[in-house]
Amino acid sequence: MLSDRFGRSIDYLRLSVTDRCDLRCSYCIPKGFSGFEEPSHWLTFGEIERLLAAFARLGTSHVRLTGGEPLLRRNLPQLAARLAVLPGLRDLSLSTNATLLARHALALKEAGVARINVSLDSLDRACMEKITGRDSLLPILDGLMAGKAAGFTPIKINMVAQRGVNEDEIDDMVAFCIRHQFILRLIEAMPMGATGRDAAYLDLGPVQARLQAKFGLHAAATELGGGPARYLSTADGGASIGFITPISQHFCASCNRVRLAVDGTLYLCLGQEEKFEFRPLLRGGASDAELEAAIRSAIELKPQKHEFREQPDKIVRFMAQTGG
């Protein structure tokens, strides 16, 4: 099992297959940004498969496909099928904005993707257009329903809660997710890049207390994923709401994940600069043993915690560059 110098087991890898996206969410990619990685710098499917096989041999059992928007990567179901059968990999999931999910849902499910997370910050069409930079709500909802029809379970809805932007829609989103048996995850905006720092941060502590009282929520009886969310459920267990609170109540002590960007850069923390470059090794003839040794060395670089509160201007890269 991979373990860092602070005794944390690292068994969760978020794999970015592209840094490009068809949306321009106000807290993520800056409007007008065009400095994306050259496709020649992207790891090939063969390079991804080889590197993830090494991670799996060392104990990485959870892999999430991310971006940017991962469904923009051509032939993604083929990559998913190759990763799903890697020895040691127990869980393959996908994070998506769902604008393209309707056309790919069935192929992804057949390829071995078990679960999906969908970014959906509002059920109001005008609000979604303001947040995402395009009229995106209807294709997202079509994708969601296609994912449900394809049999993905669970389906989690990621809602970045922002003060004065969509905070008044949280209760409607809770009701929507209960109705469709989706799991809602409320997320605090993080100060990553200028876009993240400009987001209207909302402390989820008071929101959690209010929802807990209104919907009779209790601590979830079972674990609902390998990520950082803390879950509450209704008394009958029929609905769950997760809270991801990197600012108001950080979860660094239990962090079990690292992020591999599309260019082969492994980022050890969202809020720190420590990283390790795997592309030169993969394209320079490194053996499997050398890859495994490099992974162990990289994990040793993982910092103890982020400094979003202490140094909110520290990270200039935005989320899509880091990998979901």
Side-chain angles (χ1 to χ4, degrees):
M1 181 67 69
L2 282 174
S3 181
D4 70 9
R5 55 202 164 108
F6 303 104
R8 296 171 296 196
S9 295
I10 311 301
D11 61 358
Y12 182 6
L13 176 67
R14 297 178 67 96
L15 167 66
S16 174
V17 295
T18 180
D19 58 347
R20 304 181 186 215
C21 189
D22 55 342
L23 302 182
R24 288 295 180 271
C25 292
S26 57
Y27 49 79
C28 187
I29 301 177
K31 289 182 179 179
F33 179 81
S34 59
F36 298 104
E37 279 293 337
E38 292 295 327
S40 61
H41 295 168
W42 296 359
L43 295 189
T44 66
F45 284 5
E47 290 167 339
I48 290 171
E49 182 181 11
R50 184 170 177 232
L51 183 55
L52 264 64
F55 269 97
R57 289 193 297 271
L58 295 175
T60 299
S61 56
H62 302 273
V63 170
R64 177 171 294 278
L65 303 172
T66 72
E69 171 45 50
L71 296 182
L72 290 176
R73 182 76 183 255
R74 185 176 299 177
N75 298 322
L76 185 65
Q78 294 180 18
L79 174 64
R82 293 166 68 168
L83 300 181
V85 297
L86 290 177
L89 183 62
R90 295 191 292 108
D91 179 58
L92 181 64
S93 57
L94 170 77
S95 285
T96 175
N97 64 29
T99 59
L100 302 172
L101 185 58
R103 71 181 73 164
H104 296 296
L106 190 58
L108 288 164
K109 188 70 172 62
E110 291 175 345
V113 175
R115 302 179 294 112
I116 58 173
N117 288 10
V118 173
S119 296
L120 179 61
D121 293 326
S122 172
L123 295 170
D124 180 85
R125 191 169 176 177
C127 184
M128 277 296 285
E129 184 169 3
K130 181 178 179 181
I131 292 173
T132 67
R134 57 170 275 204
D135 186 8
S136 58
L137 180 61
L138 297 184
I140 291 173
L141 294 178
D142 286 345
L144 258 177
M145 297 311 152
K148 186 176 181 179
F152 288 107
T153 182
I155 294 176
K156 297 179 181 179
I157 303 297
N158 290 343
M159 180 182 187
V160 177
Q162 298 184 74
R163 186 183 67 257
V165 177
N166 62 353
E167 63 178 312
D168 61 338
E169 299 186 53
I170 291 175
D171 289 29
D172 289 343
M173 190 68 78
V174 171
F176 171 79
C177 289
I178 290 175
R179 184 164 67 251
H180 290 284
Q181 297 183 305
F182 301 145
I183 295 173
L184 175 62
R185 306 198 314 168
L186 298 172
I187 304 172
E188 291 178 343
M190 289 172 279
M192 291 191 64
T195 48
R197 286 189 289 276
D198 288 342
Y201 168 73
L202 177 67
D203 184 339
L204 286 180
V207 175
Q208 178 174 333
R210 182 179 61 77
L211 294 178
Q212 195 164 359
K214 180 175 180 177
F215 292 96
L217 303 175
H218 304 275
T222 58
E223 175 62 37
L224 295 174
R230 298 177 175 94
Y231 287 97
L232 299 175
S233 297
T234 53
D236 62 1
S240 298
I241 303 174
F243 299 84
I244 300 180
T245 55
I247 310 300
S248 66
Q249 188 181 9
H250 74 73
F251 34 81
C252 299
S254 60
C255 184
N256 64 338
R257 68 207 67 89
V258 291
R259 288 169 167 82
L260 185 67
V262 67
D263 66 350
T265 302
L266 188 74
Y267 289 101
L268 286 305
C269 176
L270 278 177
Q272 299 287 5
E273 296 289 1
E274 283 83 354
K275 61 184 180 180
F276 191 96
E277 305 283 351
F278 279 98
R279 191 178 69 213
L281 291 175
L282 289 164
R283 297 185 180 178
S287 67
D288 286 350
E290 288 170 330
L291 281 180
E292 291 179 19
I295 291 170
R296 293 190 183 278
S297 296
I299 296 302
E300 286 298 301
L301 300 175
K302 188 171 175 64
Q304 186 173 21
K305 63 185 183 70
H306 66 66
E307 296 175 310
F308 284 139
R309 276 195 180 277
E310 298 88 343
Q311 300 187 64
D313 296 332
K314 183 174 185 177
I315 302 301
V316 297
R317 68 180 187 275
F318 50 82
M319 182 68 79
Q321 292 175 309
T322 305

